Amino acid sequence: MTAMNTFGRQRRSESPLTKGLRVLFRNPMALAGLAVIVLWSVVAILAPTIAPYDPLVQNISERLQPPSAKHLCGTDELGRDIFSRVLYGARISLPMGLIVVLFAMFLGGTVGALAGFIGGRFDDVVMRLADITLAFPSIVLALAIAAALGPSLKNLLIAMMAVWWPEYARMMRGQVLSVKNNDYIEACRAIGVPSGRTLWRHVVPNTGTPLLVKASLDAGSAILTVAALSFIGLGAVPPTPEWGAMISMGRTKFYQWWMMTFPGLAILTVVLGFNFLGDGLRDALDPRLRGE
Amino acid sequence: MGLSGHIIRRLLLVIPMLIGITLITFGVSRLVPSDPLVVIVGEKALDHPDIVEAATRKWGLDRPVHEQYLLYVWNLLHGDMGLSFKTKRPVAEELAQYLPATMELGFCSLVFALAVGLPLGIIAALKSGKWVDHMARLISLLGASSPPFWSGLVLLFLLYYVLQILPGPGRIDTRAMVPENITGLYLVDTLLRGDLEGFLDVVHHLILPSIILGSYTLAHVSRITRSSLLEVLQTDYVRTARSKGLPERSVILAHALRNAFIPTLTVIGLAFAGLMAGAIMTETVFAWPGIGRYAVEAAANLDYPAVMGTTLLIATIYIFVNLIVDILYGIVDPRIREGE
């Protein structure tokens, strides 16, 4: 690399990643998204310190109270403080969304990279499994698996992981296939670099960007899916302060509008944050979309 | 490869997919951490030896797993998805009863998504970087980010409960008579009966759920239309069209849009999956008697035959919608056929 720098015209310009990040940080919407995610992460970490009440403690004498100075977001039908429950909810939704997406990215990415690199029978079997899984709309299959396993956050997590990896596998496989035939990979093989090392050191680093963008866009929908399945009773079970489950409690109580409003706003802001960031990341890392 | 070759190839690809989805639903129904008999006849029926014996024979539970699978597919091919635990009626029959409501809602929300999403995407591309573009992006991001079960409740609260300008949940007014079942599509049935008042009532009930269900698709359609139109506007043939002095209007309409719509077409196919998935949430909130709500109620009651039946139906519909999109894609863009 350094040898090439002696040629004036070949001087190494800014790497695509650094350039992408620079573009990203000039995008106000992406920055706003990042700020919202950071804020919610802080809330999730500090919830026990900043929440004014215990999210599980019932206080029947103060049930169904509208928002006031004492209860910022009002109370639910068991007299629990909704503000505190919303803060605690971040401790479920954020980690669940992130775990699903990270797991899908690593499992799908690894499987896809191996399928693309090794090819042959492994490729056939794994990619057919991915195709078939993708034949189901993800929430539908997740619903079926979660129902089969029984309602709990752990089973919901398993169900979501089982249905989210194939898109990453397919994407990574395509990436690896396109990089695999480059001259520098050929060169690795020629000088006898072991194929495992070639894959991890030379192929994968050149394929990761689209997966990263997809993961940032998917984090929002993973959080939405957790909330959606909890809303219909397949994820969090009472009294867990999960946002979707909280909305479900308030759905028939139009008089007590605060019961569903605040958890909903929490989901909306987190998901919007991830989508703003993901959208900005995609624009920043994919120059074709920048219109340059 | 000719067009008929393309279509035949696509049709043949459907068969392994159908086999694959039955393998998955069969596998998932075996995930249930209890006796498969519980999955088939329900916990309560276990005390009745005659029921247990009949089910064991019918589903081959005393035989090896691969034979059980073949029996499962054999029963499916005869339209037998088992009995719902809750209603004791055949799942296939119930799905047939609930499907029209979902179809009607899905169709209306697709119309809404296209009617708003396409123009929004086109304007955003033509005014790229201007405030209209930013607004369009904001609208589509909001559409993709709001939980449908929540935004549905919020709109119901505002427009039905507070302002009272739109009707509440359900397909028709609770006091109205359910239209005679001809197609199961209320819009069609009321018109066939010449019931204009009933038709308008149905339309009113469709507005809110269609907006909620369609907003995610709208976001998708407008984003793809924008980016593919932007890409097409930079191509040589658009530049040629401009340089030979064609009015901008015909450059956009005759040259650019035609080609920009090709990627949008695929998205509409994928959007259908979104609609089916969204139907699960939207139908629950709007008490819409379709297969989405059926699946949710079944899941809540751990009514496994009904859950697996709905899952299988939705996946099958999804595969066929993608088949149609693929075929259309080959018709619109001959390069796809050539590439095979």
Side-chain angles (χ1 to χ4, degrees), chain A residues 115-265:
Chain A
F117 199 70
I118 303 173
R121 216 188 163 90
F122 179 76
D123 184 24
D124 277 346
V125 172
V126 167
M127 292 327 285
R128 285 306 80 74
L129 185 61
D131 284 346
I132 295 165
T133 313
L134 287 175
F136 294 88
S138 63
I139 195 174
V140 178
L141 188 55
L143 176 124
I145 298 177
L149 294 175
S152 81
L153 275 176
K154 192 186 95 204
N155 289 342
L156 176 59
L157 203 60
I158 295 173
M160 287 183 66
M161 286 172 173
V163 300
W164 279 58
W165 65 272
E167 284 187 35
Y168 290 86
R170 193 186 262 184
M171 191 179 224
M172 189 60 167
R173 177 176 174 273
Q175 290 286 315
V176 168
L177 284 181
S178 73
V179 169
K180 199 166 105 172
N181 295 322
N182 280 335
D183 288 343
Y184 62 89
I185 303 300
E186 190 74 20
C188 285
R189 208 171 303 145
I191 60 172
V193 178
S195 44
R197 191 178 156 85
T198 310
L199 179 60
W200 299 121
R201 293 293 298 272
H202 301 279
V203 177
V204 170
N206 286 299
T207 54
T209 313
L211 262 79
L212 207 67
V213 173
K214 184 171 168 45
S216 67
L217 282 166
D218 274 358
S221 43
I223 289 174
L224 264 186
T225 309
V226 171
L229 290 174
S230 293
F231 175 80
I232 59 179
L234 280 179
V237 284
T240 318
E242 199 281 337
W243 293 335
M246 289 170 73
I247 295 176
S248 178
M249 265 187 91
R251 68 199 259 204
T252 49
K253 300 192 167 47
F254 279 162
Y255 297 97
Q256 288 89 26
W257 53 269
W258 55 89
M259 277 181 68
M260 62 155 185
T261 304
F262 296 107
L265 284 175

Side-chain angles (χ1 to χ4, degrees), chain B:
Chain B
M1 190 183 272
L3 184 60
S4 53
H6 169 76
I7 294 177
I8 291 171
R9 199 185 127 85
R10 287 285 173 237
L11 274 173
L12 287 179
L13 278 175
V14 164
I15 299 169
M17 292 304 279
L18 289 176
I19 296 175
I21 58 170
T22 53
L23 273 172
I24 297 236
T25 46
F26 178 78
V28 170
S29 61
R30 290 294 178 274
L31 279 181
V32 182
S34 55
D35 190 340
L37 261 178
V38 178
V39 182
I40 291 167
V41 297
E43 197 101 40
K44 288 181 200 146
L46 287 182
D47 301 334
H48 304 272
D50 46 329
I51 298 181
V52 168
E53 202 205 330
T56 309
R57 197 164 347 107
K58 181 174 170 195
W59 299 93
L61 293 178
D62 47 356
R63 300 199 216 160
V65 174
H66 64 273
E67 283 184 29
Q68 290 182 26
Y69 169 72
L70 291 177
L71 257 177
Y72 169 71
V73 173
W74 179 255
N75 287 333
L76 279 181
L77 286 174
H78 291 84
D80 189 347
M81 295 173 155
L83 294 183
S84 157
F85 294 170
K86 201 173 159 225
T87 59
K88 305 290 174 212
R89 286 177 55 205
V91 171
E93 208 174 276
E94 299 206 311
L95 285 174
Q97 181 193 335
Y98 291 124
L99 189 60
T102 302
M103 285 296 175
E104 192 166 66
L105 177 58
F107 176 76
C108 290
S109 57
L110 197 58
V111 169
F112 164 75
L114 292 178
V116 182
L118 286 177
L120 198 66
I122 294 171
I123 294 170
L126 296 180
K127 305 271 177 199
S128 161
K130 307 263 173 58
W131 69 269
V132 189
D133 184 22
H134 294 305
M135 278 309 288
R137 174 178 281 213
L138 192 68
I139 291 175
S140 65
L141 276 173
L142 269 176
S145 308
S146 53
F149 52 92
W150 180 71
S151 40
L153 285 171
V154 170
L155 285 189
L156 265 180
F157 174 69
L158 291 175
L159 299 175
Y160 160 65
Y161 182 73
V162 178
L163 298 174
Q164 301 185 346
I165 49 175
L166 280 177
R171 285 179 87 183
I172 46 166
D173 195 292
T174 41
R175 287 156 298 180
M177 238 174 41
V178 174
E180 188 190 343
N181 195 341
I182 305 169
T183 60
L185 306 168
Y186 284 7
L187 283 177
V188 179
D189 288 356
T190 47
L191 279 186
L192 285 178
R193 216 176 39 173
D195 176 6
L196 195 64
E197 203 184 325
F199 177 76
L200 289 177
D201 182 40
V202 173
V203 170
H204 270 116
H205 277 87
L206 272 163
I207 294 176
L208 268 188
S210 301
I211 291 176
I212 294 300
L213 183 53
S215 58
Y216 185 78
T217 316
L218 186 159
H220 232 66
V221 166
S222 76
R223 297 311 293 164
I224 293 288
T225 307
R226 175 187 180 271
S227 62
S228 64
L229 185 55
L230 272 182
E231 211 163 288
V232 167
L233 284 175
Q234 289 169 7
T235 54
D236 290 340
Y237 60 84
V238 167
R239 198 173 314 134
T240 310
R242 276 192 179 134
S243 62
K244 70 180 181 189
L246 284 183
E248 188 64 19
R249 202 184 145 78
S250 72
V251 172
I252 304 288
L253 290 180
H255 292 78
L257 277 184
R258 263 183 79 155
N259 290 293
F261 279 152
I262 294 177
T264 311
L265 189 64
T266 359
V267 171
I268 295 173
L270 291 173
F272 196 81
L275 288 183
M276 279 292 166
I280 288 185
M281 306 315 300
T282 313
E283 290 182 0
T284 306
V285 169
F286 287 94
W288 201 264
I291 56 171
R293 196 174 71 137
Y294 180 68
V296 168
E297 283 182 359
N301 293 321
L302 300 183
D303 186 348
Y304 302 114
V307 175
M308 296 310 154
T310 322
T311 310
L312 197 63
L313 176 68
I314 291 178
T316 312
I317 294 175
Y318 186 32
I319 286 178
F320 278 97
V321 168
N322 274 319
L323 171 77
I324 294 168
V325 171
D326 269 350
I327 290 174
L328 284 179
Y329 211 65
I331 294 173
V332 179
D333 189 349
R335 282 171 305 177
I336 310 269
R337 281 180 269 155
E338 301 297 319
E340 281 176 357

